[in-house]
Amino acid sequence: GELLYDFNFVDETAEFGKIKDTIVLSTDNIGTFSAALVKVNEWSDKALAKNLRRRFEKSAACFPETMCSKRVPGTSSTEVVFILYEDGSTSTKIQQNKGKFQSGYNVSVESGLLLSAYSDYMMDIGSKEFSAATMTDEELDAEFN
């Protein structure tokens, strides 16, 4: 098996089916996701320090990389995007690229940092739990030499 992390976007106003969208992150991708959120925070600090005020977007990370270069039907990728606005404010957009269609969710840079820390925590806890649950008897026996 493979350890996967579901990142759910919830619609609080929905009466049924509150999960609006789900991004599934592999063990490799959750680390990339977390690092991209930290990178967006660094870019935000730089933009604020330099008083930049122009509409600008830049991708901090896109995964899986093989699906990022072309947006054609049959491909799907997830992207973390830094956004700078005309008033000097910044944000993070978590965007799913599904072929030529895009759906994105804006979050504050600060919320992105919290999400990064939570992702790191879940990565640590999840990998330990997955490892413990999938050990063979021989691997478990070797732990207690």
Side-chain angles (χ1 to χ4, degrees), residues 3 5 121-135:
L3 180 60
Y5 301 87
Y121 170 76
M122 290 308 299
M123 193 171 25
D124 180 49
I125 296 298
S127 65
K128 288 176 184 173
E129 186 174 322
F130 183 76
S131 177
T134 58
M135 271 186 189

Side-chain angles (χ1 to χ4, degrees), residues 42-98:
E42 293 168 359
W43 291 348
S44 176
D45 288 345
K46 183 178 281 188
L48 295 172
K50 294 187 176 217
N51 201 29
L52 300 176
R53 297 178 176 278
R54 192 171 118 197
R55 179 78 168 136
F56 178 74
E57 291 188 16
K58 183 172 182 169
S59 177
C62 184
F63 50 86
E65 285 187 42
T66 57
M67 300 287 193
C68 292
S69 59
K70 294 181 184 175
R71 293 194 180 138
V72 294
T75 63
S76 179
S77 63
T78 301
E79 195 167 7
V80 177
V81 180
F82 165 73
I83 303 174
L84 172 64
Y85 297 98
E86 293 88 350
D87 66 356
S89 63
T90 60
S91 72
T92 304
K93 180 168 53 172
I94 301 166
Q95 177 174 288
Q96 283 195 291
N97 305 312
K98 301 171 187 175

